[in-house]
Amino acid sequence: MAAETPIAGLPQSLAGTLRGELAILRLARPEKRNALDDTTVYGIETFFDSLPATVRAVVLHGEGEHFSAGLDLTELTIRNTAEAVHHSRNWHRVFERFEFGNVPVVAVLHGAIVGGGLELASACHVRVAERSAYYALPEGSRGIYVGGGGSVRIPRLIGVARMMDMMLTGRTYDAAEGQSIGLTQYLVDDGTGLDKGLELAARIAGNTQLTNYAIMHVLPRIADSDPAGGYLMESLMAAIASGDEEAQVRLRDFLEKRAPKVLRG
Ligand code: 1HE
């Protein structure tokens, strides 16, 4: 296993390390259930800004019993309306920084994934849940509204009707339900999520950078566009990707029997 090097300059509520081509970001405020205060949110931005170009994928996870209790509610009581708009816009900027950043992010979820914690997870590219995971959007009962991009991203995963129900009635989904409705792509046993996340991140890191870029940046835009524009963008991206030198090497490797076949499971 590659040696771990700490990433400097992060707040106490975060711990970042480099491990070969991977970087790991841990929400490290378990005494407050990894509630996301301004310092932590800006720290997430610092983490992604400071990643060296050698990093190819990131794993995000949480320390303690829960992934994240969402927005640090103590901060809401001291904001006026204009400040609250800026606060939400900051979350948007920071989450888009990595959603449309340089490298894919795998989120490893366990315990409570609540409010802004679910918004953070939904901005990641792959989600792995441990069986202890459960999901809630308690904004409805707190008299507030999602502000970290949840209205845009969560319906894309589970549909508007399910998100409405979660917010209106306080419904929670457990890990198995979350998996079946599309909140997560992987469901694993408790205590094994980080290993699974690292395994997936290593696979992602083995792709060409251009393909990963296309998957992160082009695929979601095509999915949002009209079909005619989408087909055109897809053709352009396909041509750019297959013309890449690294792609040509990989294609030849397969044709000359040097690359692995696609096998079941
Ligand atoms: C917090 C927060 C928080 C815990 N902000 N301090 N999020 C919520 O509405 C979820 C609120 N939290 C909870 O429901 C529970 O804390 C949990 C189910 C997540 C965990 O329960 P438990 O029993 O393990 O912990 P606890 O005893 O409730 O909390 C431990 C401490 O963390 C305690 O502080 P202490 O000083 O009394 O020890 C809690 O006050 C503190 N804590 N959660 C601040 N969220 C961009 S908009 C997004 C909008 C939202 O995210 S709304 C959803 C907010």
Side-chain angles (χ1 to χ4, degrees):
M1 192 191 294
E4 287 206 20
T5 316
I7 295 177
L10 300 180
Q12 271 199 335
S13 55
L14 292 172
T17 49
L18 298 173
R19 194 191 280 192
E21 292 186 309
L22 308 184
I24 303 168
L25 178 60
R26 188 171 80 241
L27 305 175
R29 203 185 173 210
E31 70 287 359
K32 294 291 179 190
R33 305 315 184 246
N34 297 322
L36 300 166
D37 56 4
D38 282 349
T39 306
T40 306
V41 172
Y42 285 121
I44 292 173
E45 187 171 43
T46 304
F47 169 85
F48 282 98
D49 283 344
S50 58
L51 288 183
T54 48
V55 167
R56 295 278 180 264
V58 168
V59 176
L60 167 69
H61 69 127
E63 189 174 324
E65 296 298 304
H66 304 283
F67 174 75
S68 174
L71 172 67
D72 187 321
L73 293 172
T74 58
E75 292 192 340
L76 266 193
T77 56
I78 51 166
R79 285 199 177 97
N80 65 30
T81 304
E83 287 164 346
V85 172
H86 290 305
H87 171 262
S88 167
R89 298 298 289 155
N90 278 335
W91 280 49
H92 293 163
R93 190 191 69 253
V94 172
F95 290 7
E96 285 204 302
R97 168 75 183 81
F98 64 84
E99 181 183 25
F100 297 112
N102 294 332
V103 293
V105 183
V106 179
V108 176
L109 309 175
H110 74 291
I113 299 104
V114 171
L118 183 53
E119 294 183 278
L120 172 62
S122 62
C124 298
H125 304 92
V126 176
R127 281 160 295 279
V128 176
E130 292 192 350
R131 292 197 185 275
S132 66
Y134 68 97
Y135 311 93
L137 291 171
E139 284 84 347
S141 67
R142 305 255 185 254
I144 56 177
Y145 187 72
V146 286
S151 316
V152 173
R153 296 189 185 98
I154 297 170
R156 288 188 177 142
L157 297 176
I158 64 172
V160 173
R162 287 197 183 93
M163 180 166 173
M164 268 190 186
D165 180 31
M166 289 175 83
M167 294 190 73
L168 286 172
T169 70
R171 178 179 185 158
T172 62
Y173 285 101
D174 68 21
E177 290 168 330
Q179 170 77 9
S180 70
I181 64 173
L183 277 175
T184 55
Q185 293 102 325
Y186 296 87
L187 178 59
V188 298
D189 287 338
D190 289 341
T192 65
L194 184 56
D195 282 348
K196 183 68 183 178
L198 289 166
E199 176 206 320
L200 296 169
R203 277 199 238 165
I204 290 167
N207 297 336
T208 68
Q209 273 181 283
L210 187 58
T211 302
N212 280 350
Y213 183 87
I215 294 165
M216 289 170 66
H217 290 256
V218 180
L219 172 61
R221 263 83 184 221
I222 291 177
D224 281 345
S225 66
D226 69 292
Y231 291 133
L232 176 62
M233 221 189 311
E234 180 184 85
S235 299
L236 297 176
M237 191 62 239
I240 292 168
S242 62
D244 188 50
E245 203 177 316
E246 174 64 20
Q248 289 298 318
V249 170
R250 289 175 181 226
L251 296 170
R252 266 198 309 277
D253 280 350
F254 175 75
L255 294 171
E256 293 165 15
K257 315 276 185 221
R258 288 188 299 272
K261 295 183 187 183
V262 178
L263 298 174
R264 205 188 300 272

